[in-house]
Amino acid sequence: EMYAFLMAQQNFRKRFSLTFEFPDYTCNELAQIFVELVQAKGFDLESTISVDVIGKLLERETTSSWRSERNGRICELLYTGARAEVRKRFRRATFDETEDIDPQLIFRSDIEAVMRDEFK
């Protein structure tokens, strides 16, 4: 988008003698960023979840153009969605009076639900 804007505004473009290009993150890089974000926010991931698993889910559930449009923001979107799934599960457990729910644990099903329902 920025490139198209600068090309359309040649006089404006001349004011920038230096430009930077940042390549898009790979699915595994996005997965690593997500894992670090989750941990920084005080959440844990189910033991079956790894960077590789999340990377493969991103590859399967999203297109490269969709990822390119959002790039690093995908991690925040995924974290926010997964946190909402945890809250839903916790509310259901409270309503059903189930006591063994960890409100800080993200399941693989939470991540899959976010990708399936929101990442299209």
Side-chain angles (χ1 to χ4, degrees):
E1 294 174 9
M2 183 58 79
Y3 179 76
F5 172 76
L6 290 174
M7 294 311 290
Q9 304 291 328
Q10 289 295 323
N11 289 334
F12 188 66
R13 182 177 174 265
K14 290 177 186 176
R15 294 178 182 221
F16 297 96
S17 60
L18 186 62
T19 59
F20 295 94
E21 286 197 37
F22 297 100
D24 293 335
Y25 290 111
T26 66
C27 289
N28 277 353
E29 288 171 332
L30 289 168
Q32 182 65 46
I33 294 168
F34 170 73
V35 168
E36 291 173 9
L37 176 63
V38 164
Q39 292 169 345
K41 298 287 186 171
F43 281 80
D44 296 312
L45 295 171
E46 184 179 35
S47 63
T48 61
I49 301 174
S50 66
V51 169
D52 190 50
V53 167
I54 298 167
K56 287 179 181 172
L57 287 170
L58 282 167
E59 184 75 34
R60 185 182 76 206
E61 296 294 331
T62 62
T63 64
S64 60
S65 63
W66 188 90
R67 289 189 304 273
S68 181
E69 289 173 7
R70 289 154 186 86
N71 209 358
R73 186 166 167 255
I74 292 169
C75 303
E76 186 65 36
L77 294 170
L78 185 54
Y79 166 72
T80 302
R83 192 179 66 200
E85 292 295 319
V86 170
R87 282 197 308 264
K88 286 183 211 174
R89 190 174 59 253
F90 188 71
R91 281 193 297 263
R92 280 192 304 268
T94 302
F95 182 75
D96 295 340
E97 298 180 2
T98 306
E99 295 182 22
D100 60 345
I101 298 296
D102 182 351
Q104 299 299 112
L105 183 62
I106 295 174
F107 293 157
R108 179 180 174 146
S109 59
D110 299 329
I111 294 170
E112 290 173 332
V114 173
M115 288 187 193
R116 180 185 64 244
D117 298 340
E118 299 178 26
F119 280 25
K120 299 296 175 190

